[in-house]
Each structure stands twice: as structure tokens, then as C-alpha cells.
Amino acid sequence: MSSRTAASGSATATGRATRAVIPAAGLSTRFLPATKAVPKPMLPVVDRPVLQYIVEEATSAGVTDVLLITGRGKTSMVDHFDRQPELEERLAAKGDAARLEAVRRTAELAQIYTCRQTEVLGLGHAIAYAESHIGDAPFAVLLADEFPDESAPLLPQMLDLQAATGGIVIGLVEVPDEQTSRYGIASLSPDEPPPEAPEGAVTISGLVEKPPPGEAPSNLAIFGRYVLPGGIFEAIGRTKPGSGGEIQITDAIALMMAEGTPVHGIVYRGVRYDTGVPLGYLQAVVQLASKRDDIGADFRRWLTEFVRTWQE
Ligand code: UTP
């Protein structure tokens, strides 16, 4: 783990991005007061913080280098991916091989870098901090409060498609028509995506921030996954504060799109966990606990009984 800037190995020979940026400096107002002193990405889902699921998602897709954008009071996120020699010695002395392996694994997942967003001025502003680390290579962006089930990943197809087009690729998810006002929504172009695009790929002609129901151009919302070309930094530099007075990544993407950069989306059809709000967080905990090999059977039995008695 390091906070220095790396300068090489940013894409494979085929141009597939190998670096990821995880912006995690937000104020997490929808989860207060829990997130007043604990960073939202550190909330545990069973026995791993949300952030670990997201770093694992990135590394499973072939990412080897992760830049965490953090902020004041959020150093625990970086500590989680560091070694803990005292703890490791204690677990080794106790012969607790499983926990020792789990504790060591977090420090071995990827090369983790970190930098601080000193003021919370928006997602585009946070991503701009990655410029000196990323240079002009393509990179993935994973928001720190939602993730797909590991059995149905999205990022590998996104990285492949970006390597093929050289443009921008955005993860999309279908939302009910009445919920469009909570999300960035894509409008679709009739243009076919390139032949090598995976199933679920669409060509995007515009992005609208939080349109009211009835005015939304589609019901395809941005899932917090992007693969961006290095040119995005220059576009962010030209982006004025938008919705909420913040520098929005959607505005920088719209700027590049207007200037000819191809923008595609991939519609995700698997299970998505939204841990950014209490209800979605609880659903994620229940679903992922139910699937666990170790505690899943006992938990499901308890849950079934709980629901039965609750209904009576
Ligand atoms: P959100 O807009 O969902 O904000 O950020 P938030 O802070 O997570 O939560 P609420 O809405 O106040 O409850 C999406 C992602 O972008 C990061 C957040 O940490 C989150 O991972 N972000 C947002 C930044 O890193 N910096 C910013 O200035 C804004």
C-alpha cells in the first residue's frame, strides 16, 4: 500500500484499463447519524466493509491498481487495506488460520493508493484528483455505496467495451418509472452499439440529472460504474458547477459526448446492492448473509421463523 503516484502499467496491451478510482469522500447525509464518524464505505455487510466488496469487484475484473479518494475523518478506509502485524501475530499464535488469512488478504488485494479531496465539491471534482495518478490512460470509476452480486459482475464487460471503442462506458440499471427523479437517467440513441459490444449494450445520446417522472427520456439509471478515457480530466476542468452547485461527472461526460466521444451503456440485469441508504443496506445484509456458506443456513432458518412470527 502506498500514497505515492505510479506512472506505468495503466492499461494492458489491448488498451483495457487496469486502474480504478473509488471516490469515497462524500458526506453520506442519507445515512446519518451512523456516518458522522464512520465512513459509509466502512459499514459492514456481514463481516466485510462495503469498500472491500467493491475493491474485490475491481480486482476480479482485472484491476491491479486502486486509487481511493478519501477525505477528513476517513483514514480507516485506507487502514483496512494495510498490514496489521500485531493482529496477525496474535491470530497466528492462536492458530486461527482462517481469520489470519482474511486479515492478510485485504492488504494483498491490489496496489492501493490514496489521496484526499479537501472540499466535498462533487463527484466530478473528486475524480479530478486522480489526474496525476492516472495520466491519459483509461480507468474505471466505482462509487463506494453500491455493488453488483459477485456471481454476475458488470465491470469486465464495461472494460472490454471501453477498450474496443476508446470512449466512455457507463453502467445502467432499470428503475421503476416513478423513481427516475432519484437518479441520473440516460437517453438512448437509435445507433447500434459496436458489433463486439456485449448483450445489454446501448448507445447513449444524453444524460439527464434526476428528471421528474413523465419527463424522463428512459427508465435507465446510472449504476455507479464508469469506464472513462484519460481525456475526461480536461473535460472536468472545463465543467462548471451544476446540480447542487457541485461539479458533476455527468456534465463532463456530456461535454465529451457533444464533442464526438462515443458513449455506451451496459444494462445490468443481475442483483445490485445499494448500501447508500438504510433500507438498501439492510436488504444487502440479509441477502448476502443468507448466501454465506458458514452462517447462511442458520440465518435463513432464523429469518423464516422471525417472519412467520412477525406476521402472526
Ligand atoms: P453521493 O452523491 O451519493 O453522496 O456520492 P454521498 O456522500 O455518498 O451520500 P449522500 O447522498 O449525502 O447520502 C456518490 C459517490 O461519490 C463520492 C461519495 O463518497 C460516493 O461514493 N463523492 C461524492 C465524493 O467522493 N466526493 C464528492 O464531492 C461527492
Side-chain angles (χ1 to χ4, degrees):
M1 200 204 62
S2 167
S3 60
R4 74 199 146 81
T5 293
S8 61
S10 49
T12 63
T14 57
R16 195 180 192 266
T18 57
R19 288 185 178 164
V21 175
I22 303 184
L27 298 175
S28 309
T29 53
R30 288 170 297 162
F31 224 126
L32 286 168
T35 48
K36 187 177 169 198
V38 176
K40 186 169 62 175
M42 290 306 289
L43 295 175
V45 173
V46 190
D47 55 6
R48 278 184 275 165
V50 168
L51 187 60
Q52 187 176 334
Y53 286 85
I54 293 171
V55 171
E56 286 171 356
E57 175 195 346
T59 57
S60 303
V63 165
T64 53
D65 170 316
V66 174
L67 176 66
L68 289 176
I69 312 287
T70 72
R72 271 184 299 285
K74 296 184 193 288
T75 44
S76 58
M77 293 195 293
V78 185
D79 291 340
H80 183 71
F81 297 97
D82 200 355
R83 295 290 300 273
Q84 257 268 37
E86 264 188 341
L87 184 58
E88 289 175 25
E89 273 167 34
R90 186 67 61 90
L91 291 169
K94 276 172 64 184
D96 192 341
R99 288 200 178 86
L100 178 61
E101 156 63 14
V103 162
R104 279 200 179 136
R105 210 175 96 76
T106 60
E108 291 162 359
L109 279 172
Q111 190 69 24
I112 304 279
Y113 298 85
T114 173
C115 87
R116 275 181 180 230
Q117 184 186 22
T118 50
E119 273 185 281
V120 184
L121 296 178
L123 181 55
H125 182 260
I127 293 171
Y129 276 85
E131 182 171 9
S132 63
H133 185 77
I134 300 285
D136 57 6
F139 63 103
V141 173
L142 296 87
L143 300 197
D145 53 6
E146 54 184 334
F147 56 96
D149 191 84
E150 65 177 352
S151 65
L154 172 65
L155 199 57
Q157 302 92 293
M158 292 180 65
L159 291 165
D160 290 343
L161 183 55
Q162 197 283 332
T165 65
I168 293 170
V169 180
I170 300 174
L172 297 172
V173 65
E174 267 182 37
V175 296
D177 290 341
E178 65 278 9
Q179 288 181 14
T180 55
S181 57
R182 293 197 216 157
Y183 301 94
I185 300 288
S187 45
L188 302 188
S189 153
D191 296 348
E192 288 291 326
E196 57 272 59
E199 206 188 312
V202 291
T203 306
I204 295 177
S205 58
L207 295 167
V208 193
E209 269 304 324
K210 305 187 170 77
E215 288 178 30
S218 76
N219 66 343
L220 295 177
I222 298 177
F223 178 175
R225 300 290 178 272
Y226 307 79
V227 185
L228 303 169
I232 195 74
F233 297 115
E234 192 272 334
I236 295 172
R238 289 189 283 134
T239 301
K240 306 263 175 300
S243 167
E246 297 189 333
I247 297 182
Q248 301 288 353
I249 191 65
T250 45
D251 291 340
I253 291 173
L255 203 59
M256 288 188 79
M257 185 161 29
E259 292 168 357
T261 300
V263 182
H264 294 98
I266 302 181
V267 183
Y268 181 65
R269 306 270 179 212
V271 175
R272 160 182 166 259
Y273 304 111
D274 177 4
T275 50
V277 288
L279 179 62
Y281 171 77
L282 288 172
Q283 289 165 339
V285 171
V286 170
Q287 289 176 90
L288 287 162
S290 300
K291 285 166 59 142
R292 288 275 293 239
D293 290 338
D294 51 355
I295 56 169
D298 285 346
F299 182 64
R300 289 194 303 271
R301 213 170 298 119
W302 173 84
L303 190 61
T304 307
E305 182 61 13
F306 175 74
V307 171
R308 193 182 62 75
T309 53
W310 180 259
Q311 283 169 343
E312 279 169 0

